[in-house]
Amino acid sequence: MDRAERRPAPPKVLEGVLDKLYEMGIFVPKQKGLMFAAALGYSRGDRVPLEVRGNGIRYEIFQSDGDDAFISALAVAVTKDLRVLSAERNDERITIFEEYAHGGLIHMQRVCFEQEGDPLDNLLRLTIDARSSASAEIPGIDRSVLAGLI
């Protein structure tokens, strides 16, 4: 399937999460929220297939911001196969991205809208926690070195 035909999309049932975060000015444009959700989903190991896709975002938006590189890197990390970068596997890359975004959006909904507190504060806390745990898991690297980088 041509990239122009297949638009990365959130699951229909969670489009409201992106809409609310967009309206609050947290993720502008919505594509950035989808990127964050996919990274969060991947970091948590939450890959959830989509039953019904929501409104897609033109792939050109991801390309113009350089986010298509993340989509490709995610696909390589998941499949452990560089051939996933071939034109014939565009649809597979987008599906992987969407499924991790779905997992991330589920968690974002819980953290931002089902827990007490300000959604932005809760999201920031989630980000700080994810960053701390991710840097703690890198074997052979001294955390004090990472502290200066992040």
Side-chain angles (χ1 to χ4, degrees):
M1 181 177 285
D2 185 350
R3 283 184 180 169
E5 295 174 30
R6 176 72 186 271
R7 298 173 174 215
K12 184 72 174 165
V13 297
L14 294 172
E15 275 185 312
V17 173
L18 278 180
D19 290 341
K20 288 178 191 174
L21 293 170
Y22 173 80
E23 289 165 8
M24 296 171 74
I26 296 174
F27 290 115
V28 178
K30 291 180 189 177
Q31 160 244 355
K32 294 300 183 187
L34 205 55
M35 293 295 296
F36 182 87
L40 178 63
Y42 179 75
S43 74
R44 295 176 46 81
D46 294 339
R47 183 175 179 183
V48 182
L50 278 75
E51 293 178 21
V52 180
R53 296 173 75 244
N55 293 323
I57 300 170
R58 288 188 330 272
Y59 198 79
E60 296 82 38
I61 302 294
F62 291 90
Q63 288 175 311
S64 67
D65 280 356
D67 292 336
D68 58 329
F70 171 80
I71 294 171
S72 294
L74 178 62
V76 170
V78 170
T79 64
K80 312 258 187 284
D81 181 8
L82 288 175
R83 291 174 291 198
V84 76
L85 300 176
S86 69
E88 301 82 43
R89 293 177 70 180
N90 290 337
D91 193 53
E92 181 181 356
R93 288 195 303 277
I94 292 172
T95 297
I96 290 168
F97 172 76
E98 289 174 329
E99 291 177 351
Y100 278 109
H102 185 183
L105 281 167
I106 290 169
H107 193 65
M108 288 167 65
Q109 179 178 18
R110 280 189 220 121
V111 168
C112 294
F113 303 111
E114 295 173 9
Q115 290 182 3
E116 286 189 32
D118 179 73
L120 178 57
D121 289 341
N122 293 347
L123 194 59
L124 289 171
R125 198 169 12 271
L126 171 71
T127 304
I128 290 166
D129 292 346
R131 207 162 107 179
S132 297
S133 66
S135 61
E137 296 172 8
I138 301 173
I141 296 181
D142 183 354
R143 275 195 75 181
S144 63
V145 172
L146 285 176
L149 300 174
I150 52 178

